[in-house]
Amino acid sequence: MTSVLPPALEAGRELVEPALRKAVARLDADTRQVCEYHFGWSNADGSPAGGGGKALRPALVLLSGRVVAGDPDDVLAPAAAVELVHNFSLLHDDVMDGDTERRHRPTAWTVFGRSPALLAGDALLALSTDVLLDPATEYAAAAVRALSGATRELIAGQAADLDFEERTEVALAECLRMVHDKTASLLGCSTALGACFLGAPGETVRRLHAFGTELGMAFQLVDDLLGLWGDPQVTGKPVLADLRARKKSVPVVHALVSGGAAARRLRELYAQPEALTEDQLEEAAEAVRESGSEEWTRAECARRLDRAHQQLPEGDPDAVRSLTELAEFIVRRKH
Amino acid sequence: MTSVLPPALEAGRELVEPALRKAVARLDADTRQVCEYHFGWSNADGSPAGGGGKALRPALVLLSGRVVAGDPDDVLAPAAAVELVHNFSLLHDDVMDGDTERRHRPTAWTVFGRSPALLAGDALLALSTDVLLDPATEYAAAAVRALSGATRELIAGQAADLDFEERTEVALAECLRMVHDKTASLLGCSTALGACFLGAPGETVRRLHAFGTELGMAFQLVDDLLGLWGDPQVTGKPVLADLRARKKSVPVVHALVSGGAAARRLRELYAQPEALTEDQLEEAAEAVRESGSEEWTRAECARRLDRAHQQLPEGDPDAVRSLTELAEFIVRRKH
């Protein structure tokens, strides 16, 4: 792994940020302040800040447009729109999950309150369609519908994730479905949306969508592994963070349903009313390893990446190479 | 006031409900259950229920289409879309405001939890654009943008309303702006959207929008008066409900800024840390009356209704008459 971001990611962020800022500037002052803080453009007091997320989804939209020889300027609208939807979901999920930190800063709801953060999320979702239809180009309506469908899946995924917290039994297939809906769906949509917005042939759009969806699955599986064994110095999260919160991530669910002695021990630990001690956390992590679930997750991740590559369409060779690079970066990342 | 609903309202609900049900059926099972409960179509256990709201906004869309001689079937999509946006805002507002009852039933969040209710609201907002673009007719994109703009104003209005709760000083102009954003904007949009969706001339759409916006202001002013002096048997709310909750509704803000002895007493009561006693509630209501604020609100309501009527465009006489009837009903209603 290199700590240098792929050029497509850097370029994407630089291109899309002005469009995002312009969209957010349409909001009323209160809601705008919350959004600008959340995006990392300003501090809590409104003073400028230089932060911001990776903007992975806009980069995928721009590459998707480049694959069909589109000009980046012609797909800025869908690139901004997917980032608005992504950030709508982050703002709402942070409230629902009670998460207090994101991108090494206090989450918006801890700074401004729950209701203003929820309203800011609502506003970003409403803005996303506005941005796609301003002006309404020939294929904009198809793009809005694709994005709206992915948004519904995102919501279904978050609903399933919350539901899993309440349940003791979660099947692996259900868990993978949740990952598809919560993460892979919007990544698949992003990777198709640039081409879709430019009216590319259906087969190209379909292949890009399949590439992005498989990549999205791999992305989340890496995230799940980092949630267990990521370096706290790099991830900014405590050691074994997901076990501590007893998350039902893919490797954990794989271990829980694996049926051996390790699975039984992991079930006991997950059912324990008290917080897990550091020793018990190590024990739980060991149970996931012993069940073969770390290995299975890594292998599944490689399979998904492989299937993603098989779906890559013909198109601009530079853009196709950049998509490949971005996929490799996503799977090898340490945070 | 007659307790009989205007025919346009009855007809609107009957026409639009199937389209709404079809849209909601696209959602994942968990989110769908919350929405069907919220709409009054099912009970908490999923068994069928016969309820439902007034569906005022869809009725306005249908009339707006009829004004320009459109077939009701051709504007079912925008009629369903405005109702989806309205119910998105109800689901979210009930969580934010902590309201436990709506339409004489426990609110969705009290039955299913806050997060599922928030996700259900998110899903309805996402569905609203989907419905408008399925299929994407010639003027659908313009309709989506009009609805998205009204949604942003709705969000700004709710943000302002929440902000007012924290403040002691609210100017009357700010309060009227909040009412415009939170209520009148979506009613104005609804009253223009049928015509807009059918590609009616700009001047007709503009007049319908102005009519609906003024009507929306009147609608909320009536609501504010009912929140103070509505009959609990009819409204389903306790006597002097809005004073009890110390809401900064238009008549209250008008009284607070009126500057006389009654205004000073009302300020004292609103600043009191303890809950207001029944005697103090009567005293507060009397202060609003003494400040001339009940009378001013009633007069303002009549002015708005008058201005609405002046904006009515030429068009199908039956439809224009029905809009007039609906406006009169809204202003004379007792709940």
Side-chain angles (χ1 to χ4, degrees):
Chain A
M1 140 99 192
T2 161
S3 64
V4 177
L5 293 179
L9 213 49
E10 296 266 35
R13 198 165 89 172
E14 250 171 65
L15 272 171
V16 172
E17 199 179 294
L20 278 176
R21 284 184 183 260
K22 200 178 135 204
V24 169
R26 288 188 209 164
L27 300 177
D28 65 285
D30 288 347
T31 311
R32 180 180 173 172
Q33 193 190 356
V34 182
C35 292
E36 291 182 340
Y37 172 84
H38 168 78
F39 275 109
W41 305 332
S42 68
N43 299 309
D45 62 2
S47 63
K54 283 192 290 286
L56 168 62
R57 289 155 194 81
L60 289 170
V61 175
L62 293 171
L63 288 176
S64 152
R66 273 180 53 202
V67 164
V68 297
D71 190 309
D73 284 344
D74 293 337
V75 290
L76 286 181
V82 294
E83 193 66 359
L84 291 168
V85 169
H86 175 55
N87 283 281
F88 136 75
S89 81
L90 296 181
L91 279 159
H92 280 200
D93 288 1
D94 283 345
V95 172
M96 294 180 206
D97 302 341
D99 285 340
T100 55
E101 200 169 294
R102 168 166 307 279
R103 298 169 190 157
H104 303 279
R105 302 163 81 215
T107 45
W109 72 267
T110 66
V111 176
F112 298 96
R114 285 185 175 82
S115 297
L118 291 171
L119 289 169
D122 291 343
L124 295 185
L125 182 54
L127 269 183
S128 68
T129 45
D130 225 27
V131 161
L132 268 174
L133 295 168
D134 179 23
T137 56
E138 193 176 349
Y139 303 101
V144 172
R145 292 207 66 199
L147 186 56
S148 163
T151 305
R152 284 208 309 277
E153 292 193 323
L154 193 75
I155 291 164
Q158 170 70 357
D161 201 10
L162 291 172
D163 184 43
F164 291 177
E165 282 179 21
E166 314 281 311
R167 287 162 49 182
T168 44
E169 299 299 324
V170 174
L172 185 60
E174 283 182 295
C175 189
L176 289 168
R177 175 85 225 170
M178 182 275 286
V179 167
H180 170 275
D181 288 353
K182 191 167 172 176
T183 306
S185 178
L186 188 59
L187 283 165
C189 176
S190 302
T191 315
L193 207 65
C196 165
F197 193 75
L198 296 172
E203 175 64 10
T204 305
V205 174
R206 196 199 60 69
R207 279 183 162 265
L208 283 167
H209 189 270
F211 171 86
T213 305
E214 294 294 352
L215 177 61
M217 293 299 296
F219 175 88
Q220 187 56 47
L221 295 175
V222 171
D223 219 56
D224 284 358
L225 291 168
L226 290 172
L228 291 172
W229 292 290
D231 179 353
Q233 298 273 349
V234 185
T235 63
K237 292 180 183 172
V239 185
L240 303 173
D242 281 3
L243 291 174
R244 221 174 275 271
R246 293 184 216 187
K247 288 212 174 141
K248 298 208 179 68
S249 65
V250 172
V252 170
V253 168
H254 184 273
L256 284 170
V257 300
S258 65
R264 277 195 298 280
R265 183 62 187 135
L266 187 59
R267 279 173 179 267
E268 278 169 20
L269 290 166
Y270 259 51
Q272 170 182 310
E274 309 84 47
L276 299 174
T277 65
E278 297 301 312
D279 281 353
Q280 287 176 322
L281 286 168
E282 287 296 341
E283 216 188 322
E286 196 44 43
V288 177
R289 270 208 195 90
E290 265 179 48
S291 308
S293 304
E294 184 192 5
E295 202 186 325
W296 181 86
T297 307
R298 288 196 195 283
E300 180 67 12
C301 187
R303 273 193 298 274
R304 296 287 185 166
L305 190 63
D306 194 46
R307 277 159 65 174
H309 287 315
Q310 287 167 22
Q311 293 291 340
L312 271 174
E314 306 273 306
D316 177 273
D318 270 359
V320 172
R321 195 176 320 115
S322 292
L323 273 180
T324 310
E325 272 172 27
L326 199 52
E328 297 291 338
F329 168 79
I330 281 171
V331 173
R332 287 171 200 280
R333 78 191 198 280
K334 298 283 185 239
H335 63 91
Chain B
M1 139 98 193
T2 161
S3 65
V4 177
L5 293 179
L9 213 48
E10 296 267 35
R13 197 165 89 172
E14 250 170 64
L15 273 171
V16 172
E17 199 179 294
L20 278 175
R21 284 185 184 259
K22 199 177 134 202
V24 169
R26 287 189 209 162
L27 301 177
D28 64 284
D30 288 347
T31 311
R32 179 179 173 174
Q33 193 190 358
V34 182
C35 292
E36 292 183 340
Y37 172 83
H38 168 79
F39 274 109
W41 304 332
S42 68
N43 299 308
D45 61 3
S47 62
K54 283 192 290 285
L56 168 62
R57 291 154 192 82
L60 289 169
V61 175
L62 293 171
L63 287 175
S64 153
R66 272 180 53 201
V67 165
V68 297
D71 189 311
D73 285 344
D74 293 337
V75 291
L76 286 181
V82 295
E83 193 65 0
L84 291 168
V85 168
H86 175 54
N87 283 282
F88 135 75
S89 80
L90 296 181
L91 280 160
H92 280 200
D93 287 2
D94 283 344
V95 172
M96 293 180 206
D97 301 341
D99 285 340
T100 56
E101 203 169 292
R102 170 165 303 280
R103 298 168 188 157
H104 303 279
R105 302 162 81 215
T107 44
W109 73 266
T110 66
V111 177
F112 298 97
R114 285 184 175 82
S115 298
L118 291 170
L119 289 169
D122 291 343
L124 295 185
L125 182 55
L127 268 184
S128 68
T129 46
D130 224 28
V131 161
L132 268 173
L133 295 167
D134 178 25
T137 57
E138 192 175 353
Y139 303 101
V144 172
R145 292 206 67 199
L147 186 56
S148 163
T151 305
R152 285 209 307 279
E153 291 192 323
L154 193 77
I155 292 164
Q158 170 70 358
D161 201 10
L162 292 172
D163 184 43
F164 290 177
E165 283 179 20
E166 314 280 311
R167 288 161 50 183
T168 45
E169 299 298 324
V170 174
L172 184 59
E174 283 181 295
C175 189
L176 289 169
R177 175 85 225 168
M178 182 275 285
V179 167
H180 171 275
D181 288 353
K182 191 167 171 173
T183 306
S185 179
L186 187 59
L187 283 166
C189 175
S190 301
T191 315
L193 207 65
C196 165
F197 193 75
L198 296 172
E203 176 62 9
T204 305
V205 174
R206 196 200 60 69
R207 281 185 160 263
L208 285 166
H209 189 271
F211 170 87
T213 305
E214 294 294 352
L215 176 61
M217 293 299 295
F219 175 88
Q220 186 57 47
L221 295 176
V222 171
D223 219 55
D224 284 358
L225 290 168
L226 290 172
L228 292 172
W229 293 290
D231 178 352
Q233 297 274 349
V234 185
T235 63
K237 291 179 184 174
V239 185
L240 302 173
D242 281 3
L243 291 174
R244 219 173 278 271
R246 293 185 217 187
K247 288 214 174 139
K248 297 209 180 67
S249 65
V250 171
V252 170
V253 168
H254 185 273
L256 285 169
V257 301
S258 65
R264 277 195 298 280
R265 183 61 189 135
L266 187 59
R267 278 171 181 267
E268 279 169 21
L269 290 166
Y270 259 53
Q272 170 182 310
E274 308 83 48
L276 299 175
T277 65
E278 298 301 312
D279 281 353
Q280 286 177 323
L281 286 168
E282 287 297 339
E283 217 188 321
E286 197 44 42
V288 177
R289 270 208 194 89
E290 265 179 50
S291 307
S293 303
E294 184 192 3
E295 203 186 325
W296 181 88
T297 305
R298 287 195 196 285
E300 179 67 12
C301 188
R303 274 194 299 274
R304 296 288 186 165
L305 190 62
D306 194 46
R307 278 159 65 175
H309 287 315
Q310 288 167 25
Q311 293 291 340
L312 270 175
E314 306 272 305
D316 177 274
D318 270 358
V320 172
R321 195 177 320 115
S322 292
L323 272 180
T324 311
E325 273 173 26
L326 199 52
E328 298 291 339
F329 168 79
I330 282 171
V331 173
R332 288 172 199 280
R333 79 191 196 279
K334 298 282 184 244
H335 62 91

